[in-house]
Amino acid sequence: MTFKNIALQIAYDGTNFSGYQIQKNKRSVQEEVEKAIKKVTNENIRTFCAGRTDAGVHAKCQVINFLTNTKIKASKFYFHLQKFLPDDIKAISSREVSLYFHSRFSAKNKEYHYVINTQKNMHPIYRNYMENVTYNLNFELLNEGLNILKGKHDFKAFMLNEKDVIINTERILKDCKFERKKNKIILEFVAESFLHNQVRIMSGSLISLSRGQISLDEFKSYLTNPNKKAGPTLKAGGLYLERINY
C-alpha cells in the first residue's frame, strides 16, 4: 500500500469553533476537516496542523497535512473536499509533499495579524472580527513598543497562566510592525512559534502603552522581569493566522 502526504491549505471563520484542535463535546475545525476527508477517502485520517488556533480565532491560511491512500490527484483534492466542509471552512489548495513534510515542524515561521477598529460606534456585525479601540493613541509609542518586542526575549509575561505547565518561554519575534488602513490598525507579528495567547496579550499591552496607561519603562520591564504580567488580553475575534512560511 502506497501512501502520499498531502498538504492542504484551508481558511476558516473561528467564531463558532472551540478552536482548531479536537475537544470532547465541542465543535472544532480539526473534527470538521477530518470528517470531510473521511467522506472523500473512506479512510480514518489523522491530520497535523501548522498552528492550533484558540476558540474564536480566525485563519486566512492554515496548513494541514495528512497521509492517505486515495487515488485522487493531490492537486485536486481540495476541490473534492470542499463540498463536505461547512460554510465556515474553505479548502483553498492542496498538493503532494514529501513524506518527511510536517505542517508544523517544517514551517519556518508563522504570521499573525491582530485587527483593531478605531471608528466609534462600530457596527455589531464586526464584533467577532475586530477589537474595538476608540481612544486616542500615540503611534510613535506604538512603534517604539513594537521595536522593543522584536528579537529574542523571554516572553513569559505575555503568556496565559497555565498551572503545572513548564515550558521554555523564550521566543524570537522575527518581525513586528503596524499598518493603518482607514479606520483600522493591523498589528503584524512573525515568529517560528508563539506562546499561548502571546499575540493577544502583546496587542493589549501595546494598546495600553499607546494610550498612556503604562510607561515605556514599564513596558520594557515585561521582558526583563518574568514574574510581571503584561496585558490586557484582547479578544480572540481580532486575531488572524495570516500565513505560514515554509
Side-chain angles (χ1 to χ4, degrees):
M1 186 177 292
T2 303
F3 287 95
K4 54 188 171 187
N5 192 9
I6 293 180
L8 174 70
Q9 183 179 337
I10 63 172
Y12 49 85
D13 178 342
T15 303
N16 296 318
F17 290 107
S18 62
Y20 177 84
Q21 190 175 18
I22 289 177
Q23 299 176 56
K24 189 176 181 180
N25 299 322
K26 292 183 179 180
R27 186 171 184 251
S28 69
V29 177
Q30 182 180 7
E31 183 176 21
E32 294 287 359
V33 171
E34 290 184 359
K35 285 193 304 184
I37 292 174
K38 184 173 183 178
K39 288 179 180 178
V40 175
T41 65
N42 199 31
E43 300 170 326
N44 290 314
I45 295 293
R46 182 187 178 191
T47 61
F48 303 93
C49 73
R52 294 181 297 183
T53 52
D54 290 336
V57 176
H58 315 292
K60 292 183 180 179
C61 173
Q62 171 72 276
V63 177
I64 68 173
N65 74 287
F66 56 93
L67 295 176
T68 176
N69 193 39
T70 184
K71 297 186 183 304
I72 297 172
K73 192 174 181 180
S75 61
K76 300 295 183 183
F77 190 88
Y78 78 99
F79 176 78
H80 294 276
L81 185 69
Q82 185 58 51
K83 62 183 176 181
F84 297 112
L85 291 171
D87 290 342
D88 44 5
I89 303 177
K90 180 174 178 60
I92 299 171
S93 66
S94 55
R95 61 189 176 96
E96 186 170 1
V97 290
S98 162
L99 292 175
Y100 297 102
F101 176 89
H102 190 288
S103 54
R104 177 184 173 190
F105 299 119
S106 299
K108 292 180 180 177
N109 54 63
K110 305 175 183 71
E111 182 173 339
Y112 280 89
H113 288 186
Y114 197 90
V115 182
I116 297 167
N117 168 71
T118 58
Q119 185 178 31
K120 292 182 179 179
N121 301 317
M122 180 177 72
H123 197 288
I125 65 171
Y126 298 120
R127 72 191 185 283
N128 294 318
Y129 306 102
M130 292 187 284
E131 180 66 83
N132 195 33
V133 176
T134 57
Y135 305 98
N136 290 328
L137 300 177
N138 184 322
F139 292 104
E140 288 186 9
L141 277 176
L142 176 59
N143 195 55
E144 285 192 62
L146 286 162
N147 285 331
I148 288 168
L149 292 174
K150 196 178 298 184
K152 186 176 182 179
H153 305 286
D154 184 343
F155 285 97
K156 184 179 179 181
F158 297 93
M159 181 182 72
L160 176 70
N161 278 331
E162 297 181 72
K163 292 182 179 180
D164 303 322
V165 175
I166 301 174
I167 62 171
N168 177 13
T169 53
E170 194 173 80
R171 294 290 186 275
I172 300 175
L173 200 54
K174 295 184 177 180
D175 195 18
C176 51
K177 56 188 177 183
F178 78 96
E179 183 179 1
R180 296 174 69 183
K181 288 186 175 181
K182 293 185 178 179
N183 298 314
K184 291 191 292 186
I185 301 168
I186 302 173
L187 303 176
E188 304 174 10
F189 304 93
V190 179
E192 183 178 338
S193 63
F194 294 88
L195 300 169
H196 194 186
N197 279 5
Q198 182 182 345
V199 174
R200 292 164 60 191
I201 296 173
M202 288 192 300
S203 298
S205 302
L206 287 163
I207 293 301
S208 293
L209 173 66
S210 305
R211 288 181 59 189
Q213 292 181 310
I214 58 174
S215 68
L216 203 56
D217 285 340
E218 186 172 357
F219 186 84
K220 290 177 181 178
S221 72
Y222 293 144
L223 297 174
T224 57
N225 185 349
N227 294 318
K228 295 196 72 170
K229 290 306 298 179
T233 305
L234 298 189
K235 67 183 182 182
L239 183 58
Y240 297 77
L241 176 54
E242 189 73 16
R243 65 178 54 87
I244 313 294
N245 298 313
Y246 291 96

